[in-house]
Each structure stands twice: as structure tokens, then as C-alpha cells.
Amino acid sequence: MKRTKDYLAYNALTRYKDNDGHYHFEADKEAISAYLEEEIKPNRMVFENLEAKLAYLLQHDYYEAELLDLYDARFVHQLFEKAHEDVEPFQTFMGALKFYNSYALKTDDHRYYLEDFQDRAVMNALFLAGGQESLALSILEHLLKGRFQPATPTFLNAGKKRRGEFVSCYLLRVEDNMESISRAISTSLQLSKRGGGVALALTNLREFGVPIKNIQNQATGIIPVMKLLEDSFSYANQLGQRQGAGAVYLHAHHPEVLTFLDSKRENADEKIRIKSLSLGLVIPDITFELAKANADMALFSPYDIERVYGKPMSDISISKEYESLVANPAIKKTYIKARQLFQLIAELQFESGYPYILFEDTVNERNPHHKQGRIIMSNLCTEIAQFSTPSRYNEDLSFAEIGQDVCCNLASINIAKAMADGKQFENLITTSIEALDRVSRSTDLDSAPSIQKGNRANHALGLGAMNLHGFLATNAIYYDSKEAIDFTNCFFYSMAYYAFKASMQLAKKVGAFATFSQSDYADGSYFAKYTEASVTPETKRVSQLLKDCEFTLPTKEDWQALVRDIQQYGLANSHLLAIAPTGSISYLTSCTPSLQPVVSPVEVRKEAKLGRVYVPAYQLSQDNYDYYKDGAFELGPEPIINIVSTAQKHIDQAISLTLFMNEDASTRDLNRAYIQAFRQKCASIYYVRVRQEVLAGSEHYAEDQQVEECESCMI
């Protein structure tokens, strides 16, 4: 009989109590040591010294010589040596497992490990610093201290000779012609091959049955296009590491919206069923207003809208034009009950977790680039909110006019680690923005000209944050408290200030993004909420906490001075902040994901070949257990929405908001959550997770609904 590995036995102990009622949380530390000794040490390639290791990695095309050549060889050696000085990168067994399974460089035959965490951190520091030694040192320190973590594509690929791209996600418009559809499919293949997730907007595609070249009943609608995309993502499996990841977004007032949603039902007809493609729905304010009035909602023909308005459906505001569209006899329309749509959405989310939701008017009202274009979609994790513009094509699929599409350059800071030394906060945010800017200027996107154009014009970034619940719990603050909301407001207010300041300083060196002068940044209107009033703590607990951490809040005078500088020098980046789910990197860095609460103090994960792995919450102990005890399912949607809507005030893009529902929740409960998120000006909703009771040995425990996720976007 095969003996259970020691590290799995130690890890399993973390969820059991002894006779005195104490949990064995410390057993997870033993699991780390046992795992490194049993699995990693025997399979690590050993070198005589650092010189021999680097020579081997360069000679065999593992590391990129051009990157190392940016630096003096002595500095590179010093950086590696510094990284290995008394560093214990893994705080949980899951962190070690995640690194060696997903991130560590291995020999081509996958038999031996060539890197430890410290080595990967050094290669990231060297890449992200772009030859600047002082910046490389700063990035490395923040990485090793756990304050800053690049997105998975960046952390995985930095410094490698044979690699994918550094970008997490891409967003593509699809226009209502065969050339655009063909280019969208081929571009999706190219981008998926390079390791990123791709989202596509299908709103402008004509519906089933409308004319083609004035011949009636010819259009086959959106489902065949979705099928082609799904097959494309399945084919582009990124060197066998995982299938390509794709999402499609559709406007709620598109005539095929019900078929679109039905395609995700488990019992859907195979002719329309979509298995692996993610679905997203773009919902304007008018849809909620019609549902509130229990009225019919009109679905408008995108074919007719483009013919009458001279622009695609996605480029007009359905809320503003609704009555005119209804009254116009030249635009075909069908009707459904608005409440029927929300009922269907809720049913489908309970069944599959989909669709994602983007609140169209909310994101466009905040859009500082509204003169350039509308926000018509999001990405695979709903944290990206950027405008796009259409492309035009010749019959041979070459570009007649290149529009602007979107890519996501992502990283996250660890809130708990950032607050451990508040005096370092400005340096942390500045360093993080400079590092992400390097990603935006280093990525080769020639395979997707419209995305390349958008990236070069905007250098848009998405710096996010994680470990909010970890910070709150280890500082004796309950997640569903007014102190938690107070802290969230103060923290992201400060993060926004230093992010804009860092981008302004970058603009002095590299210039402003292309259309800065036409943005709401240039006239200062975007910053009115900051220049007219300062944010200060509203609770004594948070006030004392900020003081203890030496964390200084900017004042309105600070903002006023910064806005003057921004108006003078510009900003290097059109977008700066976006909070992704951080699923992968939160495990890697042993912290709580994004802004959401933990599922339980000790989470249960299913890992291939190992079975169940137990993941203790950030610095879990007997002392702070009560602050983790009520997890996401016990808390329910309301406090999560309160936290996210508070942070959203300071985030210029969006935040991945996951709703957690108990097994006894109803579609009415889920609809209430939609309405709360909408009213509190959240930008989007990511997944809905439903808890299911599972029997394990002699105990019952909760496992949330397992949904296939895009690791690129989960960063």
C-alpha cells in the first residue's frame, strides 16, 4: 500500500482540533519543509556555483542573454546573492506547491527544477527595471518582502528566452462583417498561443434571420461565431499547458440575448450549447429601470441601428437613445419582460456561474476618455474598463483602418505587507507603476495590430491589490464592519494619489499618452472629487491604525498640487488601477484573494494528482480565528458589495466582484445582490459562486462551486 506523503499528512492536520480545542495551524509550516525536502530537493538541478548556473541557463536557451546584458555582470551576481540571503518565500504549503507546479523554470524534459522563487524574483526585477540598477533593487525588495507581485504571464515569462507574452488579457471588438469576424478569430488564435486570455464584443453582429446584401433571412446570428471562437481557443492550448481562454460579451438589448444565455445551460441543444467559452452581459441603466417598473424591454436590431444611426450598436448609449429607438419604425424591435431577463440571468448563474455582468452606464459615466470612445466590454475577469474604437478591413483581411483595442498589463500589491511599513507606501506604488509601465513598453503585439496600436497610444496599466481580509483579520477588524469600509476608503484613496503621481513623474521622462489633452485628466475635471475635499478616517480604530503604521493620507492640497503638475506634464498612462481576482498569485504569496473574504479559515482546494489541499488563511492563528470564521458564504453578498463599491470610488477601471451564495439562496436573493451592486455603482460582477455541502470522512464542510477560470486573468 502506497504511503501518504509526509507533506500531505502535515497539511491535512491544519483543519483538525486537538483535545483542547486548538487547531494545528502550525502543521502547515511542517508541510512546507517536508515538501521541499521530499519533492523539490531531490529534483533540483545542482550547480557548482552561480556562474555555472547562469552559463548553463544561457547556453541552453532558458534565459535571455539580451536582458542580462543590460546590466553589469557584477550587479547581476549581487542581485542573485541578495535574493538568497535568509529568505523564506513560502508562508503556506499551497504557496510552495503553486510556485513549483506553475512558475518555476524546469528542464525541457520536466525532470529537474532550475529555479527557486528567489531566482524567478531576480529575473522579474531585472526585466521590470529595464536596465536601471536602483529600480531593480527596489523591485526585488518589494517582491521578496511580498509587497508587490506581477501578474502570472509577467512573473512566469520574465527573462526567459522561450516564452509567451507578459500580458494577462486582451479585448477585441468584432464588427458586423465577415472580414472583422475572420480577423477576430485569427487574432484570438495568435494571442492565445502567446498565453493570454481574449475577450470579444459581439454586440454589433447582426441577429439571426436579418438580410445579407438585401436578401432576406440570410444571417445565421451570433451562435456560429461563438462556436468558431470556442473551437479556436480549444485548439490554441499554449504548448499543452492549458487550453486557451476566451470570453464573449453581448449587450442585454441585442435580439439574441436569450439564445446567448441559453447556450450555457447544461441541457441546451448541442446546436447552440457553449461549453468552454465564458459569457459576459453588458447591462445599461435602462434595463434596471424597466425591470423596476415590471415593463417590457425592447431588443433592437444592430443591423438596423448601424444602417439608421451610421454607427455600431455598441457605440451608442442605449439608455439615452432608448425612447428614440422604440419610436423609430425603421429599427426592428422585439420585446421581452425585463424581469424575465434578470430571472434567466440568476438561474444561469446558479447553474454555471455565468454570465459576467458589466454595468454599461456606470463605467461610461466614469470614463475619462469619453471623447475617444465608449467602454463596450470587459475582459475575462471583469476588472478592465477601457474604451475601444473599430477597425476597417479590406477584402484580403488587411487593415483599411486600424482601430484601437485593449490589453491588460496587471500586477497587485499586498495590502497587509504594504501597511507593515507605511513609510514605504509611496515608494511601493511608484515602483509598481514603473514596473508595469515597462511591461506595456516591452510587449510584442505585432500579431494583433489593433491591440498594438491601443497599447502604444495608451500604455494602460492595471495595478491592483489583494489580502484585504488578511490585513483586517490580523488587525482585529471584522470584514463586515464600518471600520473595514473606513480603512478601504482611506487605503485606495491614497493608492490612487500615488499612482497618478507616479504616472505624472513618468510622463516627465517619456511623455504623456497620445490623447492626454483630450481626456478629463487634462482639464482636471476627473480629479474634482479629490481637490474639493480630503478623505480622513471616520473611525477611531482606523485613525489609530494608520498612525501606528505611519501611513500618511494625502490632503486636498496635495491633490491640488498634483493636478497642477498633471496638467503641466501629463500622464504616461491612460489607465492605472484595476483589481483582478488574484486567484493564482494570492496562493503563491500566501494571502487572501483580491478584496473578497476567505471562503473559510482553512480553504479546501482540489489539486490534480494530490487530491484535497488545505490552505490556511493569511497568518491564521488561534488569536485571529474569529475574524476569519465567517467566510464569504456566511457573510453573503452585502458586505462584499459594500467593500468593493467603496474601493471603486478610487479605481479608474473596475474590480472583479464575486458574489457568494449559500445553497438555500433563491434567484430573488441574487437579483437583490445585482440591484445593490448596481445602485452602489460597482462597475461589474464576475462569478457567482454557490456553496455545496460535501461529506469528507466524518465531517461536513463547504466547498464552493468549481468553475473553470482563466489563470491569465486571475493573475
Side-chain angles (χ1 to χ4, degrees):
M1 184 174 178
K2 191 174 180 180
R3 185 175 70 87
T4 302
K5 295 180 183 294
D6 288 343
Y7 59 83
L8 292 177
Y10 282 125
N11 174 253
L13 277 176
T14 57
R15 63 186 303 270
Y16 291 106
K17 296 178 184 178
D18 60 23
N19 293 332
D20 296 325
H22 294 287
Y23 287 92
H24 296 280
F25 300 137
E26 69 285 350
D28 197 58
K29 301 290 185 184
E30 298 294 331
I32 300 171
S33 299
Y35 175 68
L36 297 177
E37 188 67 26
E38 294 175 23
E39 294 290 337
I40 305 306
K41 187 176 178 180
N43 298 301
R44 181 189 282 124
M45 185 172 284
V46 178
F47 298 91
E48 182 180 351
N49 51 40
L50 178 59
E51 289 81 357
K53 179 174 182 175
L54 290 178
Y56 176 89
L57 293 171
L58 290 168
Q59 181 183 349
H60 291 84
D61 288 338
Y62 289 108
Y63 278 176
E64 187 179 25
E66 292 81 2
L67 175 60
L68 298 182
D69 289 343
L70 293 176
Y71 300 88
D72 181 89
R74 286 176 298 178
F75 175 77
V76 173
H77 284 229
Q78 289 170 6
L79 213 61
F80 273 102
E81 290 167 1
K82 178 180 175 60
H84 283 272
E85 290 176 357
D86 301 320
V87 173
E88 295 181 2
F90 307 118
Q91 302 304 307
T92 63
F93 164 64
M94 185 64 183
L97 183 70
K98 178 63 71 174
F99 176 76
Y100 286 106
N101 277 358
S102 303
Y103 296 97
L105 181 64
K106 303 177 184 71
T107 54
D108 290 340
D109 59 9
H110 282 242
R111 290 181 62 191
Y112 299 106
Y113 295 102
L114 295 170
E115 286 182 326
D116 292 320
F117 180 90
Q118 296 92 323
D119 302 316
R120 191 93 297 269
V122 168
M123 296 309 292
N124 272 261
L126 293 171
F127 164 67
L128 294 171
Q132 302 175 68
E133 291 187 359
S134 60
L135 182 57
L137 283 165
S138 182
I139 292 171
L140 181 63
E141 180 183 357
H142 290 312
L143 274 166
L144 295 177
K145 295 285 188 182
R147 302 183 192 120
F148 167 73
Q149 179 61 44
T152 287
T154 305
F155 191 64
L156 182 65
N157 291 310
K160 290 182 180 178
K161 181 75 172 178
R162 293 166 288 165
R163 58 169 177 80
E165 282 304 327
F166 310 112
V167 178
S168 296
C169 285
Y170 306 93
L171 286 73
L172 287 169
R173 289 178 60 121
V174 185
E175 309 306 328
D176 189 33
N177 56 76
M178 193 65 76
E179 291 78 17
S180 181
I181 293 168
S182 300
R183 286 293 306 221
I185 293 169
S186 63
T187 302
S188 295
L189 281 166
Q190 289 291 333
L191 294 171
S192 191
K193 180 180 79 172
R194 288 160 173 78
V198 186
L200 304 100
L202 304 185
T203 295
N204 298 330
L205 298 188
R206 67 189 71 188
E207 71 275 26
F208 181 86
V210 299
I212 296 177
K213 294 183 178 180
N214 295 320
I215 302 175
Q216 298 295 320
N217 300 315
Q218 295 299 304
T220 56
I222 61 172
I223 294 296
V225 177
M226 292 166 66
K227 290 279 191 181
L228 288 168
L229 287 167
E230 183 168 55
D231 289 343
S232 299
F233 288 118
S234 297
Y235 180 74
N237 65 4
Q238 301 163 31
L239 295 176
Q241 295 179 22
R242 60 178 182 267
Q243 284 194 345
V248 288
Y249 278 80
L250 191 75
H251 200 282
H253 289 260
H254 189 284
E256 290 194 82
V257 64
L258 298 183
T259 304
F260 178 76
L261 294 174
D262 280 341
S263 70
K264 266 294 178 184
R265 288 191 180 276
E266 291 182 3
N267 61 353
D269 189 299
E270 286 299 318
K271 293 179 181 178
I272 69 165
R273 189 180 178 199
I274 297 297
K275 298 175 184 177
S276 59
L277 203 62
S278 302
L279 305 188
L281 203 58
V282 181
I283 304 182
D285 289 2
I286 186 65
T287 318
F288 282 93
E289 293 170 14
L290 293 168
K292 183 179 180 180
N294 197 19
D296 291 341
M297 60 179 282
L299 309 179
F300 303 107
S301 167
Y303 172 78
D304 289 339
I305 287 176
E306 187 156 8
R307 193 166 46 82
V308 173
Y309 276 72
K311 60 174 67 175
M313 180 175 177
S314 62
D315 290 343
I316 68 171
S317 169
I318 296 297
S319 289
K320 291 178 181 177
E321 299 294 330
Y322 186 80
E323 295 301 331
S324 296
L325 289 166
V326 168
N328 192 331
I331 294 176
K332 181 182 177 182
K333 54 199 71 77
T334 53
Y335 291 89
I336 61 172
K337 284 287 185 182
R339 289 187 183 179
Q340 175 194 354
L341 176 67
F342 283 104
Q343 176 69 19
L344 178 57
I345 293 169
E347 290 174 1
L348 188 61
Q349 286 186 324
F350 273 119
E351 187 174 311
S352 68
Y354 298 105
Y356 311 145
I357 293 173
L358 180 71
F359 297 114
E360 181 184 35
D361 293 313
T362 299
V363 294
N364 279 289
E365 285 164 7
R366 292 191 183 121
N367 179 14
H369 311 283
H370 55 88
K371 294 175 185 176
Q372 296 302 304
R374 287 176 53 79
I375 299 166
I376 68 168
M377 63 185 298
S378 188
N379 64 323
L380 276 88
C381 298
T382 72
E383 80 275 11
I384 298 303
Q386 298 179 27
F387 73 90
S388 57
T389 60
S391 296
R392 292 189 301 107
Y393 303 95
N394 300 311
E395 288 188 357
D396 64 356
L397 303 189
S398 62
F399 280 89
E401 180 183 355
I402 302 177
Q404 287 190 29
D405 282 311
V406 176
C407 66
C408 321
N409 305 304
L410 302 175
S412 291
I413 62 168
N414 182 327
I415 295 172
K417 297 292 186 180
M419 293 300 296
D421 186 356
K423 290 185 293 184
Q424 285 275 345
F425 191 66
E426 179 174 3
N427 177 268
L428 170 61
I429 301 302
T430 301
T431 299
S432 301
I433 293 294
E434 290 180 353
L436 273 181
D437 184 75
R438 161 78 168 155
V439 175
S440 79
R441 296 174 196 274
S442 304
T443 299
D444 178 6
L445 296 170
D446 285 342
S447 64
S450 59
I451 290 178
Q452 180 85 294
K453 182 178 179 180
N455 184 55
R456 287 177 174 172
N458 299 313
H459 295 292
L461 313 181
L463 182 62
M466 56 188 173
N467 209 15
L468 176 64
H469 194 188
F471 174 77
L472 296 173
T474 52
N475 284 277
I477 297 175
Y478 287 103
Y479 186 91
D480 57 342
S481 66
K482 61 182 180 181
E483 287 82 6
I485 293 173
D486 191 19
F487 171 77
T488 300
N489 190 41
C490 291
F491 182 86
F492 287 102
Y493 165 79
S494 300
M495 186 173 173
Y497 173 81
Y498 290 118
F500 279 108
K501 185 176 180 180
S503 189
M504 179 274 295
Q505 296 287 0
L506 269 174
K508 292 181 180 179
K509 302 175 187 177
V510 301
F513 68 88
T515 56
F516 168 78
S517 62
Q518 299 171 55
S519 70
D520 289 351
Y521 300 139
D523 63 15
S525 58
Y526 179 85
F527 303 106
K529 59 187 175 183
Y530 298 126
T531 56
E532 295 172 3
S534 300
V535 166
T536 56
E538 297 181 356
T539 61
K540 291 181 180 179
R541 178 74 185 95
V542 172
S543 180
Q544 186 61 49
L545 187 57
L546 298 183
K547 183 178 180 180
D548 293 343
C549 295
E550 299 184 82
F551 189 91
T552 304
L553 293 173
T555 63
K556 69 176 183 180
E557 290 76 20
D558 292 329
W559 274 102
Q560 290 165 358
L562 175 58
V563 171
R564 288 193 293 270
D565 285 341
I566 289 172
Q567 291 177 306
Q568 180 177 355
Y569 300 109
L571 294 168
N573 317 98
S574 63
H575 300 79
L576 290 168
L577 303 175
I579 300 180
T582 72
S584 294
I585 63 168
S586 62
Y587 291 124
L588 175 66
T589 52
S590 306
C591 68
T592 63
S594 190
L595 305 188
Q596 68 194 43
V598 296
V599 173
S600 61
V602 180
E603 183 188 357
V604 183
R605 292 288 300 177
K606 292 178 181 177
E607 292 294 316
K609 299 180 182 178
L610 293 180
R612 292 189 176 94
V613 172
Y614 304 96
V615 189
Y618 176 74
Q619 294 187 2
L620 180 63
S621 68
Q622 296 291 150
D623 293 335
N624 60 40
Y625 181 85
D626 282 350
Y627 297 93
Y628 285 121
K629 184 172 62 176
D630 286 339
F633 292 109
E634 287 76 21
L635 290 167
E638 184 174 345
I640 302 174
I641 292 170
N642 289 339
I643 288 287
V644 168
S645 64
T646 299
Q648 186 67 72
K649 297 173 186 175
H650 311 294
I651 302 299
D652 60 316
Q653 294 195 68
I655 300 171
S656 292
L657 167 59
T658 299
L659 301 179
F660 295 84
M661 310 299 292
N662 278 312
E663 62 277 4
D664 59 351
S666 65
T667 55
R668 184 185 294 261
D669 295 325
L670 193 47
N671 273 302
R672 277 198 289 264
Y674 302 153
I675 294 167
Q676 183 193 352
F678 165 71
R679 287 178 175 169
Q680 293 184 207
K681 297 294 183 181
C682 294
S684 61
I685 294 175
Y686 183 33
Y687 278 119
V688 172
R689 297 209 179 281
V690 181
R691 179 156 65 180
Q692 299 168 349
E693 290 299 317
V694 180
L695 186 65
S698 60
E699 295 187 48
H700 280 85
Y701 65 92
E703 255 185 18
D704 64 299
Q705 171 195 63
Q706 295 294 308
V707 183
E708 188 67 29
E709 297 176 285
C710 168
E711 288 201 5
S712 294
C713 291
M714 285 191 63
I715 74 171

